[in-house]
């Protein structure tokens, strides 16, 4: 039932106390009597749960494998993403699988190579996936999905370029505007999560704890942390103790912070595969609160479902989301 709700409904609250249940079907926006302007069809951004112009949402999402090496920072347009997953890769480092839809930038990057868990992460979004290449078996796994694959190593159409000011191989940039233009006929992504009001965990049934910061340890090399900024109503991200900035100089931020504990499959030798199809422990942090529950993903093409300890759906606030895929060998800590 939770899966059906996440796929079919957006819970959009006008206030914390008065959530409204709405489908993404467009409606005519009310205007003052006598105003001659053409009504605007209203809908909801499927990956953010925020109000949006219906026509502006009728295009696919673009997912991309984004580098998180020190020399790849700051990443391009990271604060314009709808959803970002952080995952463990070789050497204790991490990379992102980032998804853009409601706010599509002209360029994104640095784009890096694919990993074995990425088909399981990206497939539910449909649309386009961009990456620089990868081991042949991993590329074949991604090409076997329904997504349109844009691969730097195979591209001769000018979709990718190298940024002169960045060191290689952390310099591959995707022309996202052109990529979207070439694939504009693809449908928009389906809804992934259930959204509520701006303080969706306020119900005492969730037993959400007041949270000022969240710390996650992937390895000795990667230990991101998040601090709650009440004035801006966002979580602000740091990496290895320093503020994490995007290419515009702003600290990376998220309205919703999801921390999933995940197993690691080592069948590919030194390349870790985050196990995405299954179930595990999850914490959802929204509006300075954190609720505990369980995540579940039934198949590669299925979205991730978050369920609170009381059996209800763990609801997100309208806005962007970061999902930290923390290995069970790592750790998670929450400060009140």
């Amino acid at each position: 039932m939770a899966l059906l709700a996440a796929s079919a409904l957006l819970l959009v609250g006008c206030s914390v106390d008065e959530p409204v249940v709405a489908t993404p079907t467009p409606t005519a926006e009310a205007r003052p009597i006598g105003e001659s302007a053409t009504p605007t069809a209203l809908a909801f951004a499927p990956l953010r749960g925020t109000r949006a112009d219906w026509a502006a949402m009728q295009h696919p999402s673009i997912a991309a494998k984004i580098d998180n090496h020190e020399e790849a920072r700051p990443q391009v347009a990271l604060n314009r993403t709808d959803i970002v997953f952080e995952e463990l890769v070789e050497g204790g480092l991490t990379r992102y699988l980032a998804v853009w839809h409601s706010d599509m930038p002209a360029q994104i990057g640095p784009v890096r190579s694919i990993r074995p868990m990425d088909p399981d992460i990206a497939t539910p979004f449909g649309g386009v996936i961009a990456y620089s290449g990868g081991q042949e078996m991993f590329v074949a796994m991604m090409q076997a999905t329904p997504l349109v694959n844009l691969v730097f190593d195979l591209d001769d159409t000018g979709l990718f370029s190298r940024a002169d000011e960045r060191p290689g191989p952390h310099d591959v940039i995707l022309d996202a505007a052109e990529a979207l233009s070439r694939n504009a006929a693809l449908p928009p992504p389906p809804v992934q999560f259930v959204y509520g009001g701006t303080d969706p965990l306020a119900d005492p049934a969730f037993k959400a704890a007041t949270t000022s910061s969240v710390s996650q340890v992937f390895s000795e090399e990667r230990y991101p942390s998040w601090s709650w900024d009440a004035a801006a109503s966002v979580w602000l991200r740091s990496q290895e103790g320093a503020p994490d900035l995007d290419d515009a100089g702003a600290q990376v931020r998220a309205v919703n912070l999801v921390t999933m504990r995940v197993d690691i499959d080592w069948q590919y030798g030194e390349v870790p595969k985050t196990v995405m199809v299954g179930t595990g422990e999850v914490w959802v942090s929204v509006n300075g609160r954190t609720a505990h529950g369980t995540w579940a993903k039934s198949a590669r093409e299925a979205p991730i479902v978050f369920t609170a300890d009381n059996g209800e759906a763990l609801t997100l606030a309208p806005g962007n989301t970061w999902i930290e895929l923390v290995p069970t060998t790592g750790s998670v800590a929450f400060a009140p």
Side-chain angles (χ1 to χ4, degrees):
M1 293 296 292
L3 176 58
L4 292 175
S7 299
L9 298 178
L10 285 174
L11 306 180
V12 179
C14 298
S15 70
V16 173
D17 299 321
E18 298 179 336
V20 177
V21 178
T23 70
T25 304
T27 58
E29 182 180 17
R31 292 179 180 272
I33 295 174
E35 187 173 340
S36 59
T38 302
T40 301
L42 290 180
F44 299 91
L47 303 185
R48 285 193 177 212
T50 51
R51 285 185 177 269
D53 174 63
W54 183 84
M57 296 294 99
Q58 301 310 298
H59 62 81
S61 59
I62 295 181
K65 195 60 182 290
I66 300 299
D67 199 352
N68 190 34
H69 191 278
E70 286 81 355
E71 293 185 348
R73 304 170 188 169
Q75 292 88 351
V76 179
L78 201 55
N79 264 334
R80 296 175 65 178
T81 53
D82 288 46
I83 300 174
V84 177
F85 296 82
E86 183 171 19
E87 60 189 36
L88 183 70
V89 295
E90 304 94 297
L93 303 183
T94 62
R95 288 186 185 174
Y96 306 140
L97 195 144
V99 186
W100 287 265
H101 179 252
S102 60
D103 180 14
M104 193 66 69
Q107 296 182 322
I108 57 180
V111 178
R112 290 300 301 273
S113 54
I114 212 73
R115 290 297 183 271
M117 56 281 203
D118 295 326
D120 292 339
I121 297 173
T123 296
F125 298 97
V128 175
I129 177 73
Y131 53 101
S132 64
Q135 292 189 31
E136 185 175 348
M137 72 177 80
F138 303 152
V139 173
M141 289 162 61
M142 183 57 79
Q143 290 180 329
T145 72
L147 281 66
V148 173
N149 282 231
L150 304 180
V151 188
F152 170 68
D153 290 348
L154 305 176
D155 178 65
D156 58 1
T157 65
L159 279 177
F160 295 89
S161 61
R162 289 191 181 273
D164 293 339
E165 71 278 10
R166 291 177 177 266
H170 317 288
D171 58 348
V172 176
I173 305 297
L174 173 70
D175 186 336
E178 179 62 21
L180 182 62
S181 175
R182 296 184 191 184
N183 295 281
L186 294 174
V191 175
Q192 299 294 304
F193 307 123
V194 180
Y195 295 92
T198 56
D199 193 7
L201 303 180
D203 187 333
F206 289 116
K207 298 182 179 179
T210 299
T211 308
S212 63
S213 65
V214 182
S215 301
Q216 300 116 346
V217 175
F218 283 76
S219 69
E220 292 182 355
E221 302 295 328
R222 290 290 178 266
Y223 40 97
S225 61
W226 298 80
S227 298
W228 175 244
D229 183 339
S233 296
V234 294
W235 298 96
L236 297 177
R237 191 171 196 269
S238 296
Q239 292 200 84
E240 292 73 72
D244 186 14
L245 306 179
D246 71 356
D247 64 319
Q251 192 165 1
V252 173
R253 60 196 56 207
V255 172
N256 302 293
L257 172 60
V258 178
T259 305
M260 293 170 51
R261 298 305 300 272
V262 295
D263 291 326
I264 301 296
D265 182 348
W266 293 98
Q267 66 174 299
Y268 300 107
E270 66 177 9
V271 180
K273 177 187 177 182
T274 300
V275 178
M276 294 299 301
V277 178
T279 187
E281 194 173 17
V282 71
W283 292 267
V284 173
S285 301
V286 185
N287 197 38
R289 307 177 192 266
T290 297
H292 181 266
T294 302
W295 68 266
K297 181 175 169 65
S298 60
R300 168 172 290 183
E301 63 275 8
I304 305 168
V305 176
F306 304 128
T307 305
D309 288 338
N310 66 355
E312 296 183 23
L314 274 172
T315 307
L316 305 186
N320 72 314
T321 301
W322 271 70
I323 300 177
E324 300 282 9
L325 301 173
V326 181
T328 53
T329 54
S331 65
V332 181
F334 302 86

